[in-house]
Amino acid sequence: MVCLDSTQREVEQSLPKATSAVGIDVGIARFATMSDGSFLSPLNSFKKHQQRLARYQRRMRHKVKFSHNWKKGKAKVQRIHAKIANARKDYLHKATTTISQNHALVCIEDLQVRKMSRSTKGNRVQPGKMVRQKSGLNRSILDQGWGEFRRQLDYKMTWTGGVLVAVPPHNTSRTCPRCAHVSKHNRITQARFVCMSCKYENNADLVGAINILERGHRLLACGELAQSGRSVKQEPTEATQTAFV
């Protein structure tokens, strides 16, 4: 029998090589819009395989459960699900690696994905409204992998010595970044933002990303850090200080 003694050692905190800060607004039409104007298109892994998956699931329903043909059908369905999950995870890993390596500060919205993708079906006494549309939206939200995106960003920013800040999401795409006017009418369409006060116009997702970055800076200025797992009250490194200016 071999007994291995566990040891502890201090590991120096990594210093971020990048010095820039970015706000990120996640969405459906655009997976991630950066406050610098760049964006990532959605992979839509589930959507690409949805029809093929549905076809094999229908075939399964016509087979005798646990029969040889049913098991073959189930194996095909499981392979499609695995392909969808692997493609999504690979896409997210590449995206989060690039972001964490290029930025010392990343600000995102503190989204409650489970609540956002909750069913509105209701019950017999109180049936839900626009259930079909909400169901489609829920699929799209889950297909993007926002929760996994945040999880990967969290630990990768720690690896690179950067900071991840999650800010309150309310009115990020309804607030004018120029005059701070807040109104639901500012968002003309899903993609277009026009301030009713100063007439500032831009892409609505980009406006959201700019506001998210601004809120992240305010949280840091107050010595607070929401949902990041790291304390801002510790003395920041020189590179990190440069990024927050």
Side-chain angles (χ1 to χ4, degrees), residues 162-208:
V163 175
L164 177 68
V165 181
V167 305
H170 60 280
N171 291 328
T172 51
S173 60
R174 294 179 176 182
T175 303
C176 178
R178 177 181 291 172
C179 70
H181 175 68
V182 182
S183 173
K184 65 178 181 180
H185 301 295
N186 286 346
R187 192 158 187 173
I188 303 298
T189 64
Q190 186 66 23
R192 187 183 176 203
F193 179 96
V194 179
C195 179
M196 296 292 101
S197 179
C198 71
K199 306 305 177 184
Y200 171 84
E201 184 173 354
N202 212 328
N203 178 275
D205 293 331
L206 177 55
V207 168

Side-chain angles (χ1 to χ4, degrees), residues 125-179:
V125 179
Q126 293 182 328
K129 296 180 180 179
M130 301 181 69
V131 177
R132 194 170 185 176
Q133 294 89 330
K134 184 61 168 63
S135 178
L137 177 62
N138 290 349
R139 282 196 300 269
S140 297
I141 290 175
L142 296 174
D143 196 13
Q144 303 310 311
W146 293 346
E148 179 64 14
F149 178 69
R150 174 173 172 173
R151 187 190 73 83
Q152 291 185 15
L153 264 182
D154 195 6
Y155 72 79
K156 289 182 182 181
M157 289 302 294
T158 302
W159 283 354
T160 58
V163 175
L164 177 68
V165 181
V167 305
H170 60 280
N171 291 328
T172 51
S173 60
R174 294 179 176 182
T175 303
C176 178
R178 177 181 291 172
C179 70

Side-chain angles (χ1 to χ4, degrees), residues 2-29:
V2 180
C3 181
L4 298 177
D5 293 331
S6 60
T7 59
Q8 292 183 348
R9 63 189 180 91
E10 292 186 3
V11 179
E12 292 185 4
Q13 176 66 49
S14 300
L15 295 177
K17 295 181 180 179
T19 58
S20 62
V22 69
I24 303 177
D25 181 75
V26 293
I28 303 299

Side-chain angles (χ1 to χ4, degrees), residues 44-55:
N44 293 328
S45 181
F46 176 80
K47 189 176 182 180
K48 290 179 181 178
H49 296 85
Q50 187 175 1
Q51 291 185 349
R52 184 162 171 257
L53 180 61
R55 183 167 65 251

Side-chain angles (χ1 to χ4, degrees), residues 53 56 59 71-81:
L53 180 61
Y56 282 116
R59 290 179 183 177
K71 291 179 180 178
K72 285 176 62 179
K74 183 179 180 182
K76 289 181 179 179
V77 169
Q78 290 175 331
R79 282 197 294 270
I80 296 173
H81 276 300

